[in-house]
Amino acid sequence: MKSFSSPSNSSTITGFILLGFPGPREEQILLFVLFSTVYLLTLMGNGSIICAVHWDQRLHTPMYILLANFSFLEIWYVTSTVPNMLANFLSGTKAISFSGCFLQFYFFFSLGSAECFFLAVMAFDRYLAICRPLHYPTLMTGRLCNILVATCWALGFLWFPVPIIIISQMSFCGSRIIDHFLCDPGPLLALTCSRAPVMEFFWMTLSSLLLFIPFLFIMGSYALVLRAVLRVPSSAGRRKAFSTCGSHLTVVSLFFGSVMIMYLSPTSEHEAGMQKLVTLFYSVGTPFINPVIYSLRNKDMKHALWKFLET
């Protein structure tokens, strides 16, 4: 348990209160049904992609192995927040323990970090496939693919533990109410007894590096892809190349766009309601629509999914 101070006394903090989306009981039940449905559909959609890649031998290629890992990541990413949010819809207290809050904090941001790295690696794979098609089989080997997958997971889970541990050791004063549906650094730092500008700067620096390095790498990869595609003489070949990259670029735009709005501008500039909506979009919305984006724009994936569903 953690020391929790107030202007008049000192006690022991056992947890926080996540306000989530407050409202009357009927509204809470409606939100519970809505997000339960979205959560189950997200699990089914991403799980179907994993099963399709596993069962269809034609999809045992680096592109689809990366996609299967990405779908597995999305399942855990949405699971790091939604089950607790669903419990809070039906809870009268909306409480979360101190350890539970910081565990959610760690897993949510670690999985989000891993997602940034996976999106960058998937862009690198498309660059090799389109710009170096003759050398692609020898460059993107199964061994390299496995190394890249392991690196994404490792970097994701090693990016934020130090600042999260430091924040967990701070003293918290006054209210323990977090006006959010998850344990986020902005609301947590706002509850500390004194401002921590060094910690805020450290967090902002890590967040900026995490977002800009993969994002610039992705943009550089697709700039080279675009240059190569424009040199393709046939319009059919250009359409095929664009369709291959289109789904990934859509996912990149949705995820990085919303995350950058959230974390690369001062937290104080966002109203609590806007924070929740933007966070909800990239933490729940994108894992929900990603399977649709990847399956609708990919004939091989659609065929494998139909084949899997028919078995």
Side-chain angles (χ1 to χ4, degrees):
M1 292 186 290
K2 179 69 180 174
S3 173
F4 179 82
S5 305
S6 66
S8 58
N9 62 3
S10 179
S11 59
T12 301
I13 186 171
T14 57
F16 299 96
I17 296 173
L18 291 175
L19 284 185
F21 300 94
R25 182 69 176 173
E26 295 77 12
E27 185 179 306
Q28 296 291 292
I29 294 174
L30 181 62
L31 288 172
F32 175 83
V33 173
L34 173 63
F35 283 105
S36 295
T37 304
V38 170
Y39 180 56
L40 290 175
L41 291 174
T42 302
L43 298 184
M44 291 170 59
N46 286 284
S48 296
I49 288 179
I50 296 170
C51 293
V53 173
H54 176 75
W55 290 108
D56 195 325
Q57 294 291 327
R58 295 175 304 170
L59 300 186
H60 289 186
T61 63
M63 173 182 171
Y64 293 107
I65 290 171
L66 290 170
L67 179 58
N69 273 272
F70 185 75
S71 295
F72 181 71
L73 167 65
E74 293 284 62
I75 288 174
W76 289 108
Y77 189 45
V78 74
T79 300
S80 68
T81 58
V82 172
N84 184 73
M85 183 169 62
L86 293 176
N88 279 353
F89 286 139
L90 304 180
S91 171
T93 61
K94 300 185 182 297
I96 184 171
S97 68
F98 185 87
S99 58
C101 180
F102 278 91
L103 278 174
Q104 183 191 64
F105 187 6
Y106 172 68
F107 280 106
F108 178 72
F109 279 91
S110 295
L111 292 164
S113 302
E115 180 156 347
C116 293
F117 294 120
F118 265 108
L119 289 171
V121 168
M122 292 165 79
F124 175 65
D125 174 70
R126 290 301 82 208
Y127 159 75
L128 290 180
I130 293 173
C131 298
R132 300 286 187 272
L134 298 179
H135 299 95
Y136 179 75
T138 56
L139 291 173
M140 185 56 81
T141 60
R143 182 172 180 273
L144 177 59
C145 183
N146 291 333
I147 291 173
L148 291 173
V149 166
T151 302
C152 289
W153 284 106
L155 284 176
F157 279 85
L158 293 175
W159 198 264
F160 280 119
V162 172
I164 291 175
I165 290 172
I166 294 173
I167 294 173
S168 71
Q169 299 305 307
M170 292 179 173
S171 294
F172 296 87
C173 291
S175 171
R176 60 194 182 104
I177 296 174
I178 298 175
D179 192 3
H180 214 309
F181 63 87
L182 55 82
C183 291
D184 196 67
L188 280 170
L189 287 171
L191 296 180
T192 56
C193 294
S194 59
R195 286 203 60 188
V198 175
M199 185 68 252
E200 291 176 6
F201 177 76
F202 185 33
W203 183 270
M204 181 65 70
T205 301
L206 284 179
S207 299
S208 300
L209 291 173
L210 172 67
L211 293 174
F212 276 116
I213 291 175
F215 182 73
L216 292 176
F217 182 85
I218 292 169
M219 292 299 100
S221 298
Y222 277 113
L224 296 173
V225 166
L226 179 62
R227 187 178 67 174
V229 170
L230 293 177
R231 292 176 177 174
V232 175
S234 68
S235 58
R238 287 195 296 270
R239 280 197 301 271
K240 182 178 180 182
F242 279 127
S243 66
T244 302
C245 302
S247 55
H248 184 249
L249 271 175
T250 303
V251 172
V252 167
S253 301
L254 292 173
F255 180 76
F256 277 96
S258 55
V259 174
M260 285 179 175
I261 290 172
M262 190 71 232
Y263 292 106
L264 295 186
S265 58
T267 305
S268 58
E269 291 186 2
H270 302 296
E271 294 291 337
M274 181 59 69
Q275 287 185 22
K276 295 177 194 178
L277 289 176
V278 175
T279 306
L280 191 68
F281 179 76
Y282 72 76
S283 65
V284 180
T286 54
F288 172 65
I289 62 179
N290 283 352
V292 179
I293 294 172
Y294 279 114
S295 59
L296 286 181
R297 297 181 64 93
N298 189 302
K299 292 181 180 180
D300 292 334
M301 180 56 67
K302 280 194 288 188
H303 181 269
L305 284 171
W306 280 116
K307 184 178 177 182
F308 169 72
L309 293 173
E310 288 173 356
T311 58

